[in-house]
């Protein structure tokens, strides 16, 4: 009986995923505690939460730190038990402190668990470790190792693993507000060879059974298919990396000396028979957030039919030689890239950051719905109590309709195809359906103005608005803040008194900053912006009406109103909340409650809010009104400064006065033809399922407080319209 042959595959065509992480700077935005901090990094495949598969491969300290021994302790370390990398511990002493870490750590992830290329994402985990200031020596490291103070994870989808070059800001969480400037760089590389380059990629073993022949031939075909896919992926990765390197070289205006044998593939007879780099990527736009597709499907689309067939026609030995040739060139180019990045770190980081910032509006558009409406004409009330609308209809979306619209959009998110070619922040992409839905209504009045990059002054209202302050700082690090404390524990009195105190506090702050800037000769354009929450908005507007503020009104720039009762509680539909207001008036005689409910004077046209509606809003260049149909503490129409159904049906003096106040406010917001003003209403719809069934959610308080405890909605709005906050 003749002998048969069995083909046994030898693992030669192997690839490895290398992910380089540049940790540039740790910036303390708003840490509550001084002490020692450390950043710990691990990496794993998404489908295995228990094991860290990323192996630290290389560490480079590319710049000497300018910190003394009192600010930094020990050295960086790699822990073999969990394959983690930890930076040196560093000491945080004050807000807005910078620690320049200047480190690069790269991780290797083996692809041995996959048949060819990765089919699952990579999870990149940053942990913020903390130890009190008094800890030192061995006790310090033990305390740091105890548990993380905060965690921030990112997801690198499979289709981004062939090539990704992106800025990646690490913020941790609202209680540990920092900014770690990080850039992520990903490439597929050839794994270390396990066999001589010219060895055969299959060996033949005598076997006495005919039944194994088909299996052997099948194994041989499988080896060639894997070789074909690996070589094709390496060629694509080479093309991505080469184009990215050339783009960065142009962006930072620094030439790169790339040897011809790396930048071109037609210098060898073997490479002449396979596709050139540009044939893989001619139709792919490479940027920090837009990467070509990965995997078998993506690779096939990157090749035209003729090129793919040419590659398929190569023998196994030719594929092996091609694998080594392309793999060596790719590794050489990868090392050039890493060195070029270190040598031009500042300019490259700025370039990647700008690309990241430009992509925010598109990246987060999943949770934002945009619409445009024309600025309405006056709503007229006749002497016989009949209203005639002059091109002004009642709002199409009362609170219930707005909430329903947002909920339908939330449900549709589960059916959306989320961008899978860029790094994903798991604070947002971890559970997309729980993220607030923001409905942006742009009220068209005049073209948006082009805004310069000059610094300006901004005044916030309350310490609880620190999350919005932190986002503003990320957009414009030069901004100066006043977190007003003058009315702390004094918000139950007269709005006039609170406004007077705030005006004094603002003037003192602005003059102090102006005097300091003048002494150093760098007093530029002054922009004074305000952010208020709830009744803080009325305090802000009252302060602006003070005569002492007159010289500063010309500096007013952006006004962000977060759920502010601008039209009072004349038509509040929340009966439980109204009962609470009634009790406060009866039991405590709180003056501001009387003013909010128009009972501070017998004549409604002599009340505080009626008079306030005639001034203050016209001085701002841009106005953003944030509201939520889930917020039962502030009437929906009052926060949005728009008509409500109850007022439209009210033929009494109360109804006429409401329309007069509404028209007065809109007249101030309406820009003159020569002016350019942005006026937006933004509906924020939170995930109500997270509230549960309790009193806060029942009376509508949960959403009112959520404005202070969540910053995702502010991140969406501010990064989508950054020109309004610079």
């Amino acid at each position: 009986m003749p002998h048969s042959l069995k083909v046994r595959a030898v693992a030669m065509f192997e690839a490895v995923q290398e992910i380089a992480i540049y940790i540039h700077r740790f910036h303390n935005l708003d840490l509550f505690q001084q002490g020692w901090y450390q950043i710990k990094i691990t990496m794993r495949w998404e489908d295995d939460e228990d094991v860290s598969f990323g192996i630290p491969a290389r560490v480079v300290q590319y710049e000497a730190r300018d910190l003394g021994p009192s600010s930094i302790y020990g050295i960086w370390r790699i822990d073999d038990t969990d394959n983690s990398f930890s930076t040196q511990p560093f000491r945080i002493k004050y807000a807005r402190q910078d620690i320049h870490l200047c480190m690069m750590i790269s991780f290797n992830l083996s692809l041995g668990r996959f048949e060819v290329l990765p089919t699952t994402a990579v999870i990149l985990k940053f942990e913020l470790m903390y130890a009190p200031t008094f800890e030192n020596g061995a006790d310090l490291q033990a305390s740091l190792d105890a548990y993380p103070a905060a965690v921030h994870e990112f997801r690198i989808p499979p289709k981004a693993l062939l090539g990704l070059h992106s800025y990646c800001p690490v913020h941790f969480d609202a209680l540990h507000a920092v900014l770690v400037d990080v850039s992520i760089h990903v490439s597929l590389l050839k794994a270390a060879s396990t066999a001589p380059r010219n060895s055969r990629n299959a060996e033949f073993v005598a076997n006495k059974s005919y039944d194994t022949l088909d299996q052997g031939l099948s194994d041989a075909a499988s080896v060639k298919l894997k070789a074909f896919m690996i070589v094709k992926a390496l060629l694509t990765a080479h093309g991505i990396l080469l184009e990215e390197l050339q783009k960065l070289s142009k962006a930072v205006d620094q030439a790169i000396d790339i040897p011809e044998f790396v930048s071109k593939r037609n210098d060898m007879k073997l490479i002449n028979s396979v596709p050139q780099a540009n044939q893989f990527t001619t139709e792919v736009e490479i940027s920090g957030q837009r990467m070509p597709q990965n995997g078998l499907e993506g690779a096939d689309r990157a090749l035209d039919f003729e090129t793919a067939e040419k590659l398929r026609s190569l023998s196994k030995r030719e594929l092996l030689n091609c694998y080594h040739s392309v793999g060596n060139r790719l590794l050489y180019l990868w090392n050039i890239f890493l060195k070029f990045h270190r040598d031009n770190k500042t300019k490259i980081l700025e370039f990647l950051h700008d690309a990241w910032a430009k992509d925010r509006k598109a990246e987060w558009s999943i949770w934002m719905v945009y619409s445009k409406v024309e600025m309405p004409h006056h709503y007229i009330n006749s002497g016989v109590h009949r209203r005639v609308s002059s091109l002004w209809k009642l709002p199409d979306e009362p609170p219930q309709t707005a909430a329903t619209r947002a909920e339908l959009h939330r449900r549709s998110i589960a059916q959306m195809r989320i961008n899978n070619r860029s790094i994903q922040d798991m604070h947002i992409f971890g559970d997309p359906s729980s993220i607030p839905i923001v409905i942006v209504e742009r009220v068209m009045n005049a073209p948006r103005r082009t805004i310069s990059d000059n610094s300006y002054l901004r005044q916030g209202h309350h310490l609880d608005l620190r999350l919005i302050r932190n986002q503003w700082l990320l957009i414009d690090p030069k901004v100066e803040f006043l977190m007003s404390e003058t009315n702390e524990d004094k918000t139950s009195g007269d709005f006039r008194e609170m406004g007077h105190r705030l005006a004094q506090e603002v003037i003192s702050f602005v003059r102090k900053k102006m005097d300091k800037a003048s002494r150093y000769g760098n007093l530029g354009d002054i922009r004074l912006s305000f952010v208020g929450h709830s009744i803080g908005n009325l305090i802000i507007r009252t302060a602006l009406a003070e005569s002492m503020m007159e010289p500063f009104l010309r500096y007013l720039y952006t006004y962000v109103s977060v759920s502010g009762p601008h039209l009072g509680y004349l038509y509040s539909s929340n009966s439980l909340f109204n009962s609470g207001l009634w009790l406060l008036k009866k039991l405590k005689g709180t003056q501001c409650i009387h003013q909010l409910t128009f009972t501070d004077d017998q004549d409604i046209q002599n009340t505080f809010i009626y008079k306030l509606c005639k001034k203050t809003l016209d001085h701002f260049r841009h106005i953003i009104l944030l509201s939520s149909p889930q917020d039962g503490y502030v009437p929906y129409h009052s926060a949005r400064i728009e008509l409500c159904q109850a007022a439209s049906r009210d033929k009494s003096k109360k109804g006429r006065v409401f329309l007069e106040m509404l028209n007065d406010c809109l007249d101030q917001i309406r820009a003159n033809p020569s002016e350019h003003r942005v006026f937006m209403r933004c509906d924020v719809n939170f995930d109500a399922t997270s509230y549960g069934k309790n009193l806060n959610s029942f009376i509508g308080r949960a959403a009112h407080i959520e404005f202070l405890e969540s910053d995702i909605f502010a991140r969406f709005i501010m990064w989508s319209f950054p020109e309004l906050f610079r």
Side-chain angles (χ1 to χ4, degrees), residues 400-587:
Q400 297 79 7
T401 306
T404 300
R405 179 186 180 189
E407 187 58 32
L408 290 174
H409 185 78
R410 185 184 303 280
R411 293 176 185 175
S412 71
I413 289 177
Q415 310 299 324
M416 290 183 180
R417 295 186 61 186
I418 296 178
N419 181 2
N420 54 6
R421 298 180 184 88
S422 63
I423 191 166
Q424 298 170 351
D425 185 343
M426 295 301 282
H427 283 171
I428 299 174
F429 289 90
D431 186 6
S433 61
S434 68
I435 300 302
I437 305 298
V438 181
I439 300 177
V440 179
E441 180 183 277
R442 178 82 179 274
V443 183
M444 302 304 296
N445 187 34
R448 185 183 299 185
R449 176 176 176 270
T450 301
I451 300 172
S452 66
D453 291 328
N454 295 326
S455 62
Y456 65 99
L457 301 174
R458 172 192 174 266
Q459 186 269 333
H461 171 64
H462 193 274
L463 186 61
D464 284 340
L465 290 171
R466 62 185 179 81
L467 298 183
I468 293 180
R469 175 202 63 186
N470 292 342
Q471 287 301 318
W472 206 314
L473 273 171
L474 293 175
I475 291 177
D476 186 357
K478 297 179 181 179
V479 68
E480 298 284 353
F481 280 89
L482 167 64
M483 305 300 288
S484 176
E485 300 180 35
T486 189
N487 287 306
E488 202 77 37
D489 301 324
K490 301 175 185 176
T491 56
S492 60
D494 192 316
F495 276 113
R496 297 178 185 89
E497 297 174 358
M498 291 185 278
H500 183 78
R501 288 193 292 266
L502 177 60
Q504 290 178 322
E505 186 182 25
V506 170
I507 291 172
S508 174
F509 173 80
V510 173
R511 283 178 174 167
K512 180 180 178 181
K513 296 298 179 182
M514 291 176 66
D515 291 344
K516 181 179 178 181
S518 298
R519 286 196 301 270
Y520 290 97
N522 57 358
L523 180 62
D525 292 342
I526 298 174
R527 294 175 178 177
L528 185 61
S529 299
F530 285 80
V531 179
H533 175 256
S534 193
I535 64 171
N537 290 284
L538 297 181
I539 299 174
I540 289 173
R541 292 175 57 195
T542 306
L544 295 177
E546 289 283 333
S547 58
M548 69 178 79
M549 285 292 296
E550 183 69 29
F552 301 93
L553 296 182
R554 59 194 177 101
Y555 300 131
L556 294 183
Y557 193 65
T558 295
Y559 174 39
V560 180
S561 166
V562 183
S563 196
H566 296 281
L567 300 175
Y569 287 79
L570 207 55
Y571 293 99
S572 174
S573 59
N574 189 336
S575 57
L576 281 176
F577 186 76
N578 294 340
S579 299
L581 292 178
W582 182 84
L583 281 174
L584 285 175
K585 287 192 292 184
K586 292 294 183 181
L587 299 178

Side-chain angles (χ1 to χ4, degrees), residues 55-98:
I55 308 297
R58 49 178 140 183
V59 180
V60 177
Q61 182 77 56
Y62 55 83
E63 186 175 287
R65 300 187 184 90
D66 55 355
L67 299 172
S70 63
S71 298
I72 202 154
Y73 177 84
I75 60 173
W76 57 264
R77 66 191 185 113
I78 293 175
D79 190 339
D80 291 335
T81 59
D82 60 357
N83 293 323
S84 65
F85 169 81
S86 298
T87 66
Q88 288 178 276
F90 48 88
R91 188 175 179 180
I92 294 298
K93 303 176 183 178
Y94 51 87
R96 301 177 74 170
Q97 178 183 355
D98 281 335

Side-chain angles (χ1 to χ4, degrees), residues 236-255:
T236 305
H238 184 283
I240 293 172
L241 184 57
L242 181 61
E243 186 169 346
E244 184 69 18
L245 192 52
Q246 292 169 341
K247 185 175 67 174
L248 288 175
S249 173
K250 182 179 180 181
V252 303
D253 195 24
Q254 289 289 330

Side-chain angles (χ1 to χ4, degrees), residues 355-367:
W356 175 88
K358 290 177 182 177
D359 283 343
R360 289 311 86 208
K361 188 170 185 177
E363 183 83 6
W364 294 337
S365 62
I366 298 170
W367 298 275

Side-chain angles (χ1 to χ4, degrees), residues 244-282:
E244 184 69 18
L245 192 52
Q246 292 169 341
K247 185 175 67 174
L248 288 175
S249 173
K250 182 179 180 181
V252 303
D253 195 24
Q254 289 289 330
I256 308 176
D257 183 17
I258 303 178
E260 185 177 356
F261 83 94
V262 174
S263 61
K264 297 182 180 179
R265 301 183 185 174
N266 57 0
D267 59 322
M268 293 179 62
K269 184 176 180 180
L270 176 61
I271 304 301
N272 275 332
S273 65
V274 297
Q276 303 301 310
N278 58 6
Q279 290 178 288
F280 286 86
T281 57
T282 51

Side-chain angles (χ1 to χ4, degrees), residues 44 182 226 285 311 423 446 485 518 533 569 652 703:
R44 63 174 175 83
V182 171
K226 179 175 181 178
E285 180 183 0
L311 187 58
I423 191 166
E485 300 180 35
S518 298
H533 175 256
Y569 287 79
S652 67

